[in-house]
Amino acid sequence: MRRADRLFQVIQILQSTGNVITAAMIADELEVSTRTIYRDIQDLMANRVPIRGEAGTGYILDKGYDLPPLMFNEEEIDAVMLGVHWVLSNGDPDIQRAARDVLGKIRSVLPKDRQELMQSARQVVPQPPQQAPIQISMPMIRRSIRERRKLEVVYRSLSGDISQRVICPMIVVFFQNIQLLVGWCELRRDYRNFRMDCFQQAVPLDRFFSRSDFESLDSYLKRSKESQQSEKSG
């Protein structure tokens, strides 16, 4: 790893942690010696990066510090390109357009050698099977999730039954050829997985919910994952 990349990652670790972290912990994450991290932090502090702390106690980065312009290392660029290619293969048209915009913005601020790494990335994301068409607006669904806004929906089950419900949308889950919306269903008074291609209609309401009201969501997702793994192993 280039030293410039390592210094950048030290700042990233300090910024993402938000609390006091020791040089040994940073060294373990970056797979270098503690002595190397001590030198790096001293150099960063000498260059006016607002790091507070001392050896043996730990370090913390002052809030409000902005990282310098994007300086992705090779692995980070590969990760970005893999994610963008996956979205381009699996996302709806609006999120695909957003992914292409992200690439353009990243290219515009990267140094030339980093841009060349983006162009030379060699990772292939297989094209998924043909997905059933989704009739409702995915940008609206994502916006409702971010705003924690309830939705009034008309839903047609795979057996053909049609129901009208109010749901609290939580997350969208991507599978190979379908997308699921996980949410709290007021009709069933429980969490439900809704196939996105089965929605006939979805209208945002002027009613909101709090994520703290659904602290059991993580438990539900864990149970669902365990159930899927059990079905595969069986």
Side-chain angles (χ1 to χ4, degrees):
M1 180 189 298
R2 299 188 315 169
R3 183 168 182 273
D5 290 334
R6 190 178 68 246
L7 291 173
F8 188 78
Q9 288 198 324
V10 169
I11 296 176
Q12 281 187 310
I13 292 170
L14 289 167
Q15 191 173 52
S16 62
T17 301
N19 296 311
V20 174
I21 183 172
T22 65
M25 295 168 66
I26 300 174
D28 286 343
E29 184 164 344
L30 298 182
E31 298 181 347
V32 296
S33 69
T34 303
R35 185 186 298 273
T36 296
I37 297 301
Y38 283 141
R39 287 199 302 267
D40 289 346
I41 289 178
Q42 290 302 315
D43 288 346
L44 289 169
M45 294 171 72
N47 283 279
R48 300 184 179 181
V49 176
I51 299 172
R52 293 183 286 112
E54 58 184 20
T57 302
Y59 300 93
I60 187 169
L61 182 68
D62 285 347
K63 292 182 178 179
Y65 176 74
D66 291 325
L67 287 168
L70 293 174
M71 285 294 291
F72 294 131
N73 63 31
E74 290 87 346
E75 286 295 304
E76 290 169 339
I77 287 177
D78 281 348
V80 169
M81 297 303 295
L82 178 59
V84 167
H85 287 153
W86 191 93
V87 172
L88 291 175
S89 294
N90 295 274
D92 57 89
D94 292 275
I95 202 74
Q96 289 175 349
R97 183 162 49 252
R100 287 190 289 269
D101 290 344
V102 165
L103 280 186
K105 290 177 180 179
I106 291 176
R107 285 195 182 100
S108 69
V109 296
L110 281 180
K112 186 175 180 179
D113 64 324
R114 304 285 99 171
Q115 293 181 23
E116 292 173 353
L117 282 173
M118 290 181 68
Q119 296 171 353
S120 64
R122 292 293 180 266
Q123 300 177 101
V124 176
V125 176
Q127 192 70 25
Q130 183 66 35
Q131 297 186 11
I134 296 174
Q135 301 181 45
I136 61 175
S137 166
M138 288 306 297
M140 180 273 293
I141 292 294
R142 289 190 285 269
R143 185 167 57 253
S144 297
I145 292 173
R146 288 192 295 268
E147 296 176 354
R148 300 191 178 99
R149 183 186 294 268
K150 293 185 179 183
L151 297 172
E152 185 173 32
V153 304
V154 176
Y155 188 78
R156 182 187 183 96
S157 69
L158 293 178
S159 62
D161 296 328
I162 296 178
S163 60
Q164 186 169 339
R165 311 164 183 241
V166 173
I167 63 175
C168 301
M170 305 287 187
I171 57 174
V172 175
V173 181
F174 286 81
F175 289 95
Q176 188 175 23
N177 60 342
I178 63 168
Q179 298 178 36
L180 298 181
L181 176 64
V182 179
W184 177 267
C185 176
E186 293 190 352
L187 177 66
R188 304 302 183 193
R189 304 301 302 167
D190 199 359
Y191 296 107
R192 286 290 187 269
N193 297 337
F194 300 96
R195 284 181 56 133
M196 297 301 309
D197 56 300
C198 289
F199 284 110
Q200 306 294 293
Q201 183 179 339
V203 178
L205 301 175
D206 290 329
R207 294 159 54 190
F208 300 85
F209 63 94
S210 171
R211 177 63 189 270
S212 62
D213 294 336
F214 300 101
E215 294 178 351
S216 56
L217 174 63
D218 291 339
S219 297
Y220 170 77
L221 295 174
K222 183 179 180 181
R223 291 196 306 271
S224 297
K225 182 178 180 181
E226 290 173 348
S227 176
Q228 291 171 6
Q229 291 175 341
S230 177
E231 291 177 1
K232 290 180 179 179
S233 63

